[in-house]
Amino acid sequence: MPFVYYALWALGVRVYIKGTPPPPAKMSTGQTGVLFVCSHCTTCDLVFLSFVLGRPILIVTYSISRLSEIISPIKTVRLTRDRTTDANMITKLLEKGDLTI
């Protein structure tokens, strides 16, 4: 992630951040991570989000190929389409940090 800024700069992309990002999850105080929901989601969007937050985020998705999962610069987690199982997994992952769906 440290090289993202320079890669964006070299490509002519300028990122302007307004406001302050939410604080990261803290296990000691019981504060969980933030769930970001994107209506149009590509891996590039999530790299921007992670860059702006200044910390890694997880991608939680239903449909992703094995190849995309392997080459993604951001860690991905597959959902099972079972509501109970997925809800429990998302709850556990939010305790560790931020998620994007």
Side-chain angles (χ1 to χ4, degrees), residues 1-7 51:
M1 281 304 178
F3 301 108
V4 170
Y5 172 79
Y6 299 107
F51 172 71

Side-chain angles (χ1 to χ4, degrees), residues 9-54:
W9 182 82
L11 293 171
V13 176
R14 302 296 181 254
V15 177
Y16 297 97
I17 303 169
K18 294 182 180 182
T20 53
K26 294 181 183 175
M27 296 296 287
S28 60
T29 61
Q31 179 182 356
T32 62
V34 177
L35 178 65
F36 296 97
V37 179
C38 300
S39 60
H40 176 263
C41 190
T42 64
T43 304
C44 196
D45 297 335
L46 303 175
V47 170
F48 277 114
L49 181 60
S50 182
F51 172 71
V52 169
L53 291 175

